[in-house]
Amino acid sequence: MKNPSLLLFALFATQTLYAQKLDLKKLDEFSVETSETRSVEMPNRKPERRVEKYTYQFKNMGETAEGYKLSCTMVRANIRREYSSLFLFNSDSIRNSLTNSSSILGPLFFLEKSFTVYIGRDGKLQKTEGIEQLLRQGAAKWHLEESTMEYYESTPRDMAIAIKKIFLELPEQKIAYQSTWDNKATGVNYKVTAIAGSLLTITGAAADTLTARYTLNDVNGLLEDAKIHWKKVVPKYQLTETIDYSQKLIYDKYIKATVDTAWANMAVMLSFRNGALTPKTDNAVDSAVAFTYFKQYDPQFSNDPYYMKQKVTLVNQMRLKSYDIYKALVLKTPHKYLTDVELENKMRYVMETDIDQIYDFIKFRSNTTALYHTLQTGLVYELFGDNYGTQEQQISSYVRQGLTEEKARQVYMERERGRANKMLLLERLFNEKDPLLRQKVVPMYNWYLANKDKQNIAVLKKSAAQLKKLNRAEMVAGNGGRYTIFLYKLLADAGLNDEAEEMLDKTITDYDYLVLNDTAYNSGSPLAIRNAESARNLLMVANYLKYKEVSKVDSLKALAYLAKAAQHSPVGVLYSSSGSSSDRNLFEVRMNLKGTYRKDYIEKLFAMGDTDLAMKMFAVQINVDMGSIVEMQKMFEKRFPDKKFSDFIINNTIAAWKMAPDWTAKDVDGKVYKLSDYKGKWLILDYWATWCPPCRAEMPKVFEFTKELSSGKHPGIAFLGVASDEERDVRKYFDETKLIIPTVLQDNGLSTYGVTGIPSKCLIAPNGKMIVLPLGIDWKTVVTKLNQLYAAN
């Protein structure tokens, strides 16, 4: 007798399944939860990760000739994007969603709104209806800009793809256990791997890139659940993209949280995507439109954090801004809802009130970099005791700025109260019990006491002793290097040479250690780079002052300090760190110091006869400050009338550049550009974006230069823009401005050039060597001069 268990298995495994088509006759309503995680990884870049979760409610509207007509409503949406920051959209908590970005408006077009879906009995999506209408309705209701709607041109297609994933497209033939079939459109091979009652387990695969597992309900033809893993590798760009998708079927109606649509509408209406708020003429906020919105929304949202913050921002950007309205709003709005700029303004307004309010404000900002800048840039100028002119002179100045005389006198009195309060604030902070808050002002306060009583030797010595005791953490927290240098001058002017020398030695010792050993200064992160920039600026000044002192007794020993001052001199013409920029301004104005000492060192080396070292420094100076090339040529030809500056540039300067990585890119019309196309020429790569105001401001100059190139004025020079935008944005910009500039879309090859900000220029020599020009440099003068010195082939 045969084994009954084996017989049962054989019968079950080989039976034919007949109800394998979509059959929704007995199903009025169902919901589907979907989740998709998309990850992109590239070398030397932080991985990007985007997670999207949606819930769709479907209602059966009846049968059609080919299948079923369904009403589809998006009832829940959650989007999270992670790379340099965290970005959220959550329909369950919509007030925490960020609505000032185009990419998250998408769910708002469809949330709690319905469109129509037609599905065949084979599970194939036939068509959708109403998606475009929902987009048009949203655009009209929220006055969305044309550029914003262009962002959603592909939305109907994308929504159709999302719906298509929910239903499994079945083959024409009947399927059974271990049946297989292919979807020719997608390249996926399917196989039935198990059956449990009415549930079929189906796997899917496509080469080595996709794997999937489905649970299909054999009665109604719906997927009970699905999991799909897809991986794509692009060797050319060393890019790996991974997508993990899942879905779950929910019978009957989905129980969801109520969406606060009134708040969502307000948030979008007050966002910068509302074209009615910011007409294209000047991008300033239309005050009449804005105040109409305020009148409408104030009763309901006057205490809402987003509304308060956005209202302040809009008033600040109005074409006809009211100073009093803006000031009142800033003072009324809680600190945590204000931007850094608005906090700076609030600090200024608060300074005009009583000291308790000021102190409360300072305590709030105690752990922010904003407080550091408030103290180190705003307060320090008052402490110098600058002469702002007489009362009448200041009032006249305010009148010339457009204020009435009455208002000018009011502003004058407010500013005077503010200046007096700053002195009280500094003293109160110095006596603060919180050591972390107190150390932010200790260096400044001790210098201030000495500066206020410059002729009092006892006070000068006491201040010097206090600063000498500061440890490195206290020096950093209070920008101590600035004040040890300031105090050095006071001590030197008073003839206290030993104490003055101690101030310079402390600055050099402390900041040398920080730059060399502290990870906050040498880890290579953007913050560390800014910290190091500020520290090196202080080292430059301290070493130069030490050089001046030591040269009085030992010129050879002094040269080592000048070398250090040259070594720490800044690269380029601009400072990226606001801290170092503030120090530089103060040192140049208050102590008549320079912004760089590299050229001084070169001159000194030449004068001492050390030509070899001078020439090495000469090449370094040109490379770190290409804007000085004309001046450096004059210096070179004066020193070496029998040598060619062009030979020096080729053999010493350009030779130190790195080879430009290869790239291939396309413009908006699909035309292909390659690095090899420019071999033997000077090529300027101009990194820019349509959304970048400095880039747009420079475009007329760029356009004129490209016209000169086309006319043959600069033979041997080529120019190519590199846009960090979508193709449609670049095309639209050129159509609107009527500018004709050769421009490619930035790809991963061009992104390896070391450009860290825009607008930036990268210069490639005829021999393929490259250098990134510092921001703010006169790039046209540089490239034309280099072309004269090293003519293209």
Side-chain angles (χ1 to χ4, degrees), residues 111-125:
L111 205 58
E112 296 189 332
K113 302 177 184 68
S114 300
F115 56 93
T116 305
V117 174
Y118 292 86
I119 299 291
R121 288 186 178 85
D122 59 356
K124 184 176 182 179
L125 175 66

Side-chain angles (χ1 to χ4, degrees), residues 6 80 148 197 550 596 624 645 689 701:
L6 291 176
R80 185 177 68 203
T148 299
V550 176
T596 175
V624 299
F645 185 61
K701 177 183 176 182

Side-chain angles (χ1 to χ4, degrees), residues 726-771:
E726 296 290 337
E727 176 185 321
R728 62 174 176 268
D729 296 324
V730 178
R731 189 187 297 278
K732 183 173 183 287
Y733 174 76
F734 285 144
D735 288 343
E736 289 179 349
T737 61
K738 308 304 179 187
L739 298 175
I740 304 173
I741 299 169
T743 298
V744 295
L745 303 174
Q746 181 172 337
D747 71 358
N748 294 294
L750 286 165
S751 67
T752 62
Y753 270 46
V755 172
T756 57
I758 55 174
S760 285
K761 306 290 185 295
C762 179
L763 187 59
I764 303 177
N767 63 359
K769 295 273 187 128
M770 61 155 286
I771 190 171

